[in-house]
Amino acid sequence: MKPYIGIPLVVALVYRAWTRKSLTPLGLVVAGCSGSAHAFHPWSAPFALLAVFYFGGTKVTRVKHEVKSRLTLSATGAEGSEGPRNHIQVLANSIVATVLSVAHALVLAKTSGAESCFSLGQNTADILMVGIVANYAAVAADTFSSELGILSKSKPRLITSLNLRQVPPGTNGGVTATGLGAGLLGSFIVSATSAAVLPFCASASIKERALWTFAMTAWGTLGSVLDSILGGILQASVVDKRSGKIVEGNGGRKVLVHPSTGKPVDAAGKTAESTGTTNVQGTAISRGSQILGTSDPHGGIHESRRVETGHDWLDNNGVNLLMAVTMSVGAMGIAQWFWGLDVTDLVV
């Protein structure tokens, strides 16, 4: 993409995110850097995929906002809502594609220049483009699935349980037919976009482009399923005991379950000892901004949360990144095997 086209597009994308307050200040900086890496690629495809993912994700988040606010809670105890996304969330979805985009641009500059084409395996560099498309197909499928799946009229079922038991909406690892269908749609949008914007070589037939779209759509949808499995195992889903709703951490962070092991902390963040007062029955116990329970006159703590599923090993951002890496590297490995390419050519 020419600089005089790429730079204004990146500025427009960041400006839109700023005016809509969809990203934090640091999130805007990281998004600008990531967008620049995509925009300065010789082909327009990487930036187009990033833009489609961003605009698509923004739209689906807005669609389900009101429903989600009734079905989940935020870590602060308020109704669930979507605040601005931070830099960690931006990186979790785009860092893999950003690295691969830079690598692909360097390979093109070293070997065949900016006028090369996507040869469906006749050029070893095609493997890197496979990883880029696979990344955005998978994260788009995951975004559509998680954001629109909560609109399902039926309760989600835990994919990591043997009996597929029902779980509250918003549970990590919970899947519905609506969510799977939404994930398929998100993956198809990205895959179809890649088929439209990639500079295929003249030898590529319509049938080959259709097969490419089908394969990447299926792979991206599989990424959504993998994210559910990883989330159901590696990420703790925390339920508010009083309402039975899932508690979501701000910015994709972990949700605390237990109050601090030190002195009880009230809602203002002060310990009873430091203020010279005693706990009053019903006083909120918190750590930071997360409401964790209430106290009684005898200093006891009644926890208001419990872990519904999963282990508290990764937060949502960690799960998303692990899924993106797995799906991108996996797609590149399959492409290498299918096309019979030697990846050592990329570093020679």
Side-chain angles (χ1 to χ4, degrees):
M1 181 178 290
K2 302 296 183 182
Y4 62 83
I5 298 177
I7 292 176
L9 287 177
V10 172
V11 172
L13 201 65
V14 173
Y15 178 76
R16 184 180 188 277
W18 175 70
T19 57
R20 295 175 180 270
K21 298 181 179 179
S22 59
L23 294 175
T24 63
L26 188 52
L28 290 171
V29 174
V30 173
C33 293
S34 178
S36 297
H38 286 68
F40 282 98
H41 189 283
W43 300 351
S44 62
F47 186 82
L49 296 175
L50 171 65
V52 167
F53 168 69
Y54 168 72
F55 285 110
T58 301
K59 292 295 184 182
V60 297
T61 298
R62 190 177 305 161
V63 166
K64 59 82 193 175
H65 177 76
E66 291 187 8
V67 174
K68 188 173 184 180
S69 68
R70 297 195 302 268
L71 296 177
T72 64
L73 296 175
S74 71
T76 58
E79 290 184 334
S81 61
E82 292 292 334
R85 292 182 176 270
N86 58 38
H87 61 291
I88 301 298
Q89 291 173 295
V90 174
L91 288 173
N93 288 316
S94 65
I95 185 63
V96 176
T98 299
V99 172
L100 293 176
S101 181
V102 171
H104 189 255
L106 292 175
V107 172
L108 289 181
K110 186 190 305 183
T111 56
S112 52
E115 299 302 322
S116 62
C117 57
F118 185 59
S119 61
L120 288 172
Q122 297 178 30
N123 189 335
T124 308
D126 291 344
I127 294 177
L128 297 174
M129 188 54 63
V130 168
I132 296 171
V133 178
N135 174 86
Y136 282 119
V139 296
D142 174 52
T143 299
F144 275 60
S145 180
S146 60
E147 301 295 332
L148 296 180
I150 203 168
L151 301 177
S152 175
K153 294 182 180 180
S154 60
K155 275 196 172 185
R157 294 188 176 273
L158 187 63
I159 195 172
T160 55
S161 64
L162 293 177
N163 61 348
L164 296 177
R165 66 181 177 89
Q166 289 187 340
V167 289
T171 301
N172 300 309
V175 297
T176 63
T178 300
L180 291 174
L184 178 66
L185 174 62
S187 181
F188 172 75
I189 291 174
V190 168
S191 300
T193 299
S194 72
V197 300
L198 278 174
F200 284 88
C201 294
S203 59
S205 65
I206 297 297
K207 180 180 178 180
E208 288 176 320
R209 295 192 187 205
L211 288 174
W212 163 265
T213 302
F214 174 81
M216 298 310 298
T217 298
W219 187 255
T221 305
L222 184 61
S224 173
V225 176
L226 176 62
D227 188 87
S228 295
I229 295 173
L230 293 175
I233 297 173
L234 304 178
Q235 184 181 357
S237 292
V238 179
V239 171
D240 177 70
K241 292 181 180 179
R242 295 161 296 186
S243 64
K245 297 179 179 179
I246 290 292
V247 182
E248 297 194 324
N250 295 329
R253 301 183 183 91
K254 291 183 178 181
V255 176
L256 300 178
V257 180
H258 305 291
S260 174
T261 55
K263 296 293 181 180
V265 182
D266 62 24
K270 300 179 180 179
T271 64
E273 183 179 273
S274 66
T275 57
T277 61
T278 58
N279 286 324
V280 178
Q281 186 173 7
T283 299
I285 304 298
S286 67
R287 189 190 307 172
S289 62
Q290 298 199 31
I291 308 300
L292 304 177
T294 57
S295 63
D296 61 31
H298 306 291
I301 297 175
H302 303 288
E303 295 180 358
S304 61
R305 297 176 180 175
R306 63 177 173 82
V307 176
E308 173 72 17
T309 63
H311 301 280
D312 194 21
W313 294 338
L314 293 177
D315 61 12
N316 188 63
N317 299 321
V319 169
N320 289 344
L321 178 58
L322 179 58
M323 183 276 291
V325 171
T326 301
M327 297 308 295
S328 290
V329 174
M332 293 166 65
I334 293 174
Q336 177 196 355
W337 167 79
F338 184 78
W339 288 331
L341 298 175
D342 184 2
V343 293
T344 58
D345 294 341
L346 293 175
V347 294
V348 174

